[in-house]
Amino acid sequence: MTGETTVFPNPLRWALGLWRDQKHRGTIIQIMALVALLLFIGIIIRNTAINLQALGLEIGYDFLTEPANYDINQHLIDYNSLSSHLRATVVGIINTALVSVCGIILATVIGLFAGILRLSKNWLVSRIMYAYVEFGRNVPVLLQILLFHALIIHTLPHPRASLSPMDGVFLSNRGFYVPQPVLEPAAWAILAALVIAVAAAWWFAGHAKRVQENTGRHYPVFTINLALIIGLPLLAFFLAGRPIGLDFPQLKGFNYQGGMVLRPEFTALWFALSFYAGAYIAELVRAGILAISRGQTEAAYSLGLRPNWTMRLVILPQAMRVMVPPLISQYLGLIKDSSLAIVIGYMDIVATIGGISLNQTGRALECMSITLFIYLGISLGVSTVMNWYNRRVALVGS
Amino acid sequence: MSAQEKSMSVSDEMMIEMNGVHKWYGQFHVLKNINLTVKRGERIVICGPSGSGKSTLIRCINRLEEHQQGEIIVEGTELTGNLKHIEQIRREVGMVFQHFNLFPHLTVMENCTLAPIWVRHMPKQEAEELAMNYLRQVKIPEQAEKFPGQLSGGQQQRAAIARSLCMRPKVMLFDEPTSALDPEMIKEVLDIMIELARDGMTMICVTHEMGFAKTVANRVIFMDGGEIIEQNEPEEFFANPKNERTQLFLSQILQH
């Protein structure tokens, strides 16, 4: 170093000074990145607008009120081919929501059991669970959906020869038919009994806690409440003179009429998504339990706590907080994987507004944007709820 | 405290009896023919090189480890596969761990009241009063509402001692309670343990704190290779170790 410095003109030196300053350089880079991003989005929008103009198209959502002109085999709200595209979209949303909610529940149950059983000391049980987890995780979910669909379609008989494990229950390749409850006017008594039972169970849980705090007595709250919630409506059912009838499915022509039906598309999709996500959740549960140090169990045992209480009071509350963040991803993944429904003809959002409506109207941009925002909305909703739960169970001070 | 004073609080009532206990980890013979009796009010310090089986020995007393041969009798109840007996013994035997093992999702107060409420069926308020008494005894009553992660190591170990005491155990087992602590925190934990000994608690401590052994122990046991090599009153143990291995061990840890 001879002490010579390069001499720059003043403004340039000022700019160079900013660039060499740690704090300012960060700000400059962020501004540049933001400008680049906005520019990129702008170019895409402009490009799309120019292309649409060249094709003589314009963006508009008026088509939503026009008749859809196609049928949907599973609709929980009234729908026929004269209904609007908007209604078709709603049917699609309901179908996606139905399979997602059912899938999340079943996958969680499967995952919890498989995860705990994989830690079992029983060699056979843990090996079976290991095989399940490896199969579930390593076979693409699309193939699993096709596999379950094929199992139902090809291994179950046609309706005339359907299996009937119980009176009024028919399993065939057209779906699982079960009797549908028909409510008579006096059925409100049962509903009222259920509401009362739930309220009573709520009160009893609080009461048991107060009794415990005051006298130290423990009630078997879960068992008593379960008996209450099942028993009271059952009692009302008989007292009110059995006001619920059953509508049995009847074989008419080539298929059953009446009763309730789980369609093969729904069943296949539901099982496949649950089977697939359940394998991942099993690993999360296993990891969550293993992440809690052995010392926690030992400390609880040394205080005289039984193994089942140790699991409930010490291990699971801690394992939950390890499990929740990846569990959110699993749930979101399952919701998005349900869009593969289209391969077996289950009419979800992608099949309705994102599929047939799009083809019939040619409104690709509009239909895709609607589909995209619906998924985004559902996913953000699930994330918000789960993140709130995660914050609630977070540890303090470590 | 003189030797005479120390022995005065010891009764003839037998608390723990181990007869010919053996334990293997696979091929590794970790406890060899352990014979040990502990009377009510006795304070025993177990020392020895690492891997000598000290921790395993005391962990057999509340069956965190299973022994394969011989008998262990705690307060007249033999430890076997009988779950009822194991539960009963664990209620009466407190344990303090090297790494505290406090429940991080519960406050210090909840850590202390968990077992009294769930195991002893104690009313919550009573359990909290009891816990507060012991937290005062270990000098951290002001930390009751904090979570373990917010406490220093020394405070955590004292909270763990209070948690154990809340079950009003008849025996306390200490598994290297100060080994994971910074030097300036060792004293605050040892002070609590000395106080506990003065109150007449039956204690078995695995520790390398020889000062503590000299102050409170009735008996010091030296283990090596899974065997009890030598046991004696502390004065005699430190002044005239009989076995060569004891001499070597003591020369190694006392040379500083």
Side-chain angles (χ1 to χ4, degrees):
Chain A
M1 288 290 142
T2 55
E4 273 182 59
T5 48
T6 329
V7 181
F8 288 112
N10 259 342
L12 197 59
R13 189 189 301 174
W14 174 79
L16 206 68
L18 281 186
W19 180 245
R20 281 182 181 157
D21 181 272
Q22 193 182 22
K23 203 169 79 190
H24 289 131
R25 184 186 284 199
T27 316
I28 293 169
I29 290 177
Q30 285 185 45
I31 291 173
M32 281 167 27
L34 188 67
V35 168
L37 184 70
L38 290 177
L39 218 62
F40 178 70
I41 294 173
I43 289 171
I44 288 185
I45 291 176
R46 182 167 172 273
N47 211 18
T48 312
I50 290 173
N51 285 340
L52 285 173
Q53 211 168 23
L55 289 167
L57 295 173
E58 51 190 295
I59 298 178
Y61 291 86
D62 299 339
F63 73 96
L64 283 173
T65 54
E66 290 162 17
N69 291 324
Y70 60 92
D71 281 317
I72 299 178
N73 55 12
Q74 175 183 309
H75 49 88
L76 297 186
I77 56 171
D78 281 340
Y79 177 86
N80 59 47
S81 59
L82 295 176
S83 305
S84 64
H85 285 290
L86 187 63
R87 198 155 183 91
T89 310
V90 175
V91 171
I93 293 174
I94 292 174
N95 284 348
T96 291
L98 181 72
V99 81
S100 300
V101 170
C102 292
I104 284 174
I105 293 170
L106 186 60
T108 309
V109 172
I110 294 177
L112 196 64
F113 276 100
I116 291 174
L117 289 180
R118 235 202 110 175
L119 291 169
S120 162
K121 287 194 180 104
N122 184 318
W123 184 86
L124 187 66
V125 169
S126 81
R127 285 287 109 173
I128 290 174
M129 288 307 146
Y130 172 70
Y132 158 61
V133 167
E134 290 307 321
F135 180 85
R137 289 199 305 172
N138 292 317
V139 175
V141 63
L142 183 63
L143 292 183
Q144 294 190 31
I145 293 170
L146 292 171
L147 177 72
F148 274 94
H149 192 240
L151 279 177
I152 291 171
I153 295 293
H154 295 303
T155 61
L156 286 174
H158 56 85
R160 281 172 182 281
S162 62
L163 304 172
S164 182
M166 281 164 61
D167 260 2
V169 176
F170 301 99
L171 308 181
S172 76
N173 61 10
R174 294 286 188 85
F176 301 163
Y177 283 83
V178 294
Q180 181 166 26
V182 180
L183 302 181
E184 285 162 28
W188 63 266
I190 297 169
L191 188 71
L194 184 69
V195 172
I196 292 170
V198 169
W202 184 272
W203 174 83
F204 181 69
H207 173 71
K209 195 162 175 246
R210 280 190 300 277
V211 167
Q212 192 282 319
E213 286 180 6
N214 292 329
T215 69
R217 266 188 74 189
H218 291 263
Y219 288 122
V221 178
F222 181 76
T223 322
I224 291 177
N225 279 349
L226 196 68
L228 206 60
I229 289 172
I230 293 174
L232 213 53
L234 210 63
L235 192 70
F237 172 73
F238 287 109
L239 285 182
R242 308 194 202 182
I244 294 181
L246 289 175
D247 175 23
F248 284 88
Q250 305 273 331
L251 188 61
K252 284 182 185 158
F254 294 111
N255 205 351
Y256 288 92
Q257 301 285 320
M260 285 194 298
V261 61
L262 280 182
R263 295 187 175 279
E265 299 83 28
F266 171 79
T267 317
L269 187 66
W270 179 31
F271 286 178
L273 290 176
S274 308
F275 189 81
Y276 174 75
Y280 280 95
I281 293 174
E283 284 297 87
L284 296 183
V285 170
R286 190 173 71 102
I289 291 174
L290 288 180
I292 308 308
S293 90
R294 177 93 192 115
Q296 292 288 307
T297 310
E298 288 180 352
Y301 284 179
S302 78
L303 289 166
L305 283 166
R306 290 183 187 154
N308 54 349
W309 290 347
T310 300
M311 189 49 107
R312 190 178 127 197
L313 298 169
V314 176
I315 306 300
L316 278 184
Q318 295 184 60
M320 279 311 287
R321 65 163 225 279
V322 184
M323 277 152 48
V324 168
L327 204 56
I328 301 174
S329 308
Q330 278 313 311
Y331 287 171
L332 297 180
L334 188 145
I335 293 170
K336 286 177 287 178
D337 287 342
S338 76
S339 63
L340 293 168
I342 199 162
V343 298
I344 54 170
Y346 181 76
M347 298 298 276
D348 72 333
I349 309 170
V350 177
T352 55
I353 183 73
I356 303 177
S357 289
L358 186 155
N359 283 331
Q360 290 192 351
T361 61
R363 298 279 185 173
L365 204 68
E366 294 87 339
C367 289
M368 275 303 147
S369 63
I370 290 172
T371 314
L372 187 143
F373 279 107
I374 291 169
Y375 274 114
L376 197 62
I378 295 175
S379 295
L380 288 177
V382 172
S383 301
T384 310
V385 171
M386 295 296 279
N387 282 325
W388 168 81
Y389 176 77
N390 197 32
R391 267 197 307 281
R392 239 188 50 148
V393 298
L395 280 191
V396 180
S398 53
Chain B
M1 218 189 269
S2 74
Q4 205 185 6
E5 256 182 310
K6 271 194 276 179
S7 59
M8 269 170 65
S9 53
V10 177
S11 79
D12 283 339
E13 194 186 333
M14 201 70 85
M15 288 297 294
I16 299 167
E17 225 182 312
M18 300 177 91
N19 296 323
V21 172
H22 288 265
K23 177 174 176 58
W24 289 266
Y25 284 128
Q27 293 291 309
F28 182 58
H29 200 169
V30 60
L31 292 182
K32 297 172 187 161
N33 193 28
I34 300 292
N35 293 292
L36 174 70
T37 54
V38 182
K39 288 175 184 153
R40 176 186 289 281
E42 264 199 298
R43 280 92 51 192
I44 291 174
V45 164
I46 304 179
C47 60
S50 70
S52 60
K54 321 176 288 279
S55 291
T56 309
L57 189 151
I58 65 165
R59 286 160 61 85
C60 281
I61 295 172
N62 62 356
R63 207 161 170 101
L64 289 182
E65 303 286 349
E66 211 173 298
H67 61 284
Q68 277 102 30
Q69 205 180 313
E71 55 173 14
I72 301 177
I73 299 166
V74 183
E75 267 220 301
T77 310
E78 192 183 346
L79 267 175
T80 56
N82 186 326
L83 293 171
K84 204 92 202 148
H85 289 173
I86 294 174
E87 217 174 282
Q88 190 186 328
I89 286 169
R90 281 179 178 163
R91 257 181 264 162
E92 309 301 332
V93 178
M95 187 165 210
V96 174
F97 299 86
Q98 184 178 3
H99 296 289
F100 332 134
N101 297 354
L102 288 166
F103 307 131
H105 62 301
L106 302 176
T107 62
V108 168
M109 175 58 85
E110 288 165 339
N111 264 278
C112 291
T113 58
L114 186 77
I117 287 175
W118 286 91
V119 181
R120 293 247 191 258
H121 299 313
M122 194 181 278
K124 190 175 171 199
Q125 206 189 342
E126 196 185 322
E128 283 179 350
E129 281 163 18
L130 177 81
M132 212 52 195
N133 271 338
Y134 285 116
L135 288 174
R136 244 175 255 129
Q137 187 180 333
V138 300
K139 302 183 181 66
I140 48 168
E142 73 286 354
Q143 312 290 350
E145 295 315 317
K146 288 196 187 164
F147 286 88
Q150 298 168 309
L151 269 53
S152 74
Q155 290 170 329
Q156 288 192 48
Q157 191 59 298
R158 285 185 283 158
I161 293 174
R163 175 177 71 175
S164 257
L165 292 175
C166 281
M167 284 297 285
R168 300 194 207 265
K170 301 202 169 114
V171 186
M172 285 285 282
L173 308 173
F174 292 85
D175 190 0
E176 308 210 22
T178 56
S179 312
L181 295 176
D182 289 336
E184 76 272 21
M185 294 175 180
I186 292 177
K187 189 176 172 296
E188 61 188 49
V189 171
L190 288 180
D191 284 348
I192 300 296
M193 290 168 64
I194 291 169
E195 239 173 75
L196 210 54
R198 293 212 169 112
D199 291 344
M201 176 64 79
T202 313
M203 298 163 72
I204 304 181
C205 311
V206 171
T207 182
H208 293 139
E209 297 296 330
M210 289 305 135
F212 171 78
K214 282 176 193 162
T215 319
V216 303
N218 311 78
R219 209 176 348 149
V220 181
I221 291 176
F222 174 70
M223 283 185 76
D224 193 11
E227 291 172 286
I228 294 181
I229 302 291
E230 184 168 350
Q231 48 178 315
N232 215 329
E233 288 186 357
E235 290 81 0
E236 192 63 15
F237 180 87
F238 290 110
N240 298 309
K242 309 238 161 19
N243 192 289
E244 250 175 65
R245 281 193 269 179
T246 319
Q247 290 161 6
L248 180 68
F249 176 74
L250 287 178
S251 73
Q252 279 166 346
I253 63 165
L254 294 178
Q255 67 187 199
H256 300 293

